[in-house]
């Protein structure tokens, strides 16, 4: 992997990690905390969160998508399929966000700005929370796809597990880079 591809991969991974970290925060911390708040307080808090997040988070998603797209188009190795899988997961994420999450974000943001409280505030939040159960796995897969390629840059062992005839077998490979990243050495360790 040459230097510019490594850098683009790193940008894609970090951008995806920012989006995943945000969703993971709400899945693990925000959901239980908001259940303890009153419906009006929960709607107001989430409305203001969405007001800022909907303005600032797209740059991270766009950066992740563009990075993976660039790697799919310009990569000449078999790893381009990992970048394509990552890109497809991000596209599915954006589709789900636009169809299921964004309408709720708008309602909550408008309620927070005007001080009005929708009668179905808890139901709206529960619907938004359920979408996280789909969005987070998509982001985890998207993040995991290019990681072995970048990890190899640092000489990290990559373990491949496979199942044949119902039996598990493991193969460990060391990935080492030569000076300047031009040379690759793959050594079977098992």
């Amino acid at each position: 992997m040459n230097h510019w591809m490594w850098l683009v991969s790193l940008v894609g991974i970090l951008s995806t990690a920012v989006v995943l970290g945000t969703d993971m925060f709400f899945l693990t911390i925000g959901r239980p905390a908001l259940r303890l708040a009153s419906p009006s307080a929960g709607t107001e808090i989430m409305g203001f969160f969405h007001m800022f997040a909907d303005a600032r988070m797209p740059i991270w998603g766009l950066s992740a998508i563009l990075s993976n797209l660039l790697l799919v188009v310009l990569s000449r190795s078999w790893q381009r399929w990992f970048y394509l899988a990552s890109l497809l997961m991000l596209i599915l994420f954006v589709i789900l966000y636009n169809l299921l999450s964004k309408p709720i974000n708008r309602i909550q943001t408008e309620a927070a700005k005007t001080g009005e409280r929708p009668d179905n505030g808890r139901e709206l939040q529960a619907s938004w929370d359920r979408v996280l159960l789909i969005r987070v796995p998509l982001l985890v897969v998207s993040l995991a796809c290019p990681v072995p390629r970048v990890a190899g840059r640092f000489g990290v062992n990559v373990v491949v597990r496979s199942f044949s005839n119902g039996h598990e077998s493991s193969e460990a490979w060391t990935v080492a880079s030569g000076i300047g990243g031009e040379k690759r050495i793959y050594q079977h360790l098992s």
Side-chain angles (χ1 to χ4, degrees), residues 30-55:
R31 283 176 59 186
L34 287 169
R35 286 186 191 132
L36 298 175
S38 68
S40 61
T43 299
E44 184 177 30
I45 290 167
M46 287 305 292
F48 287 129
F49 270 131
H50 294 315
M51 184 173 70
F52 287 99
D54 288 349

Side-chain angles (χ1 to χ4, degrees), residues 71-132:
L71 291 164
V72 167
V73 171
L74 299 177
S75 178
R76 298 288 178 237
S77 68
W78 62 270
Q79 284 101 349
R80 81 174 351 159
W81 298 108
F82 287 110
Y83 300 126
L84 180 62
S86 180
L87 177 64
L88 292 175
M89 294 301 113
L90 290 169
I91 290 169
L92 281 172
F93 171 87
V94 171
I95 291 168
L96 280 173
Y97 170 79
N98 283 321
L99 290 176
L100 303 174
S101 300
K102 195 169 187 173
I104 296 170
N105 292 6
R106 286 184 182 149
I107 292 168
Q108 290 179 326
T109 300
E110 190 59 33
K113 286 179 179 178
T114 63
E116 296 176 15
R117 300 296 171 253
D119 295 333
N120 61 346
R122 287 252 190 243
E123 292 81 13
L124 285 172
Q125 189 58 45
S127 294
W128 192 85
D129 291 345
R130 279 191 298 276
V131 178
L132 286 177

Side-chain angles (χ1 to χ4, degrees), residues 7-21 60 63-64 143:
L7 182 62
V8 172
S9 263
L10 191 59
V11 167
I13 288 170
L14 293 176
S15 298
T16 305
V18 168
V19 179
L20 173 60
W60 297 107
S63 175
L143 185 61

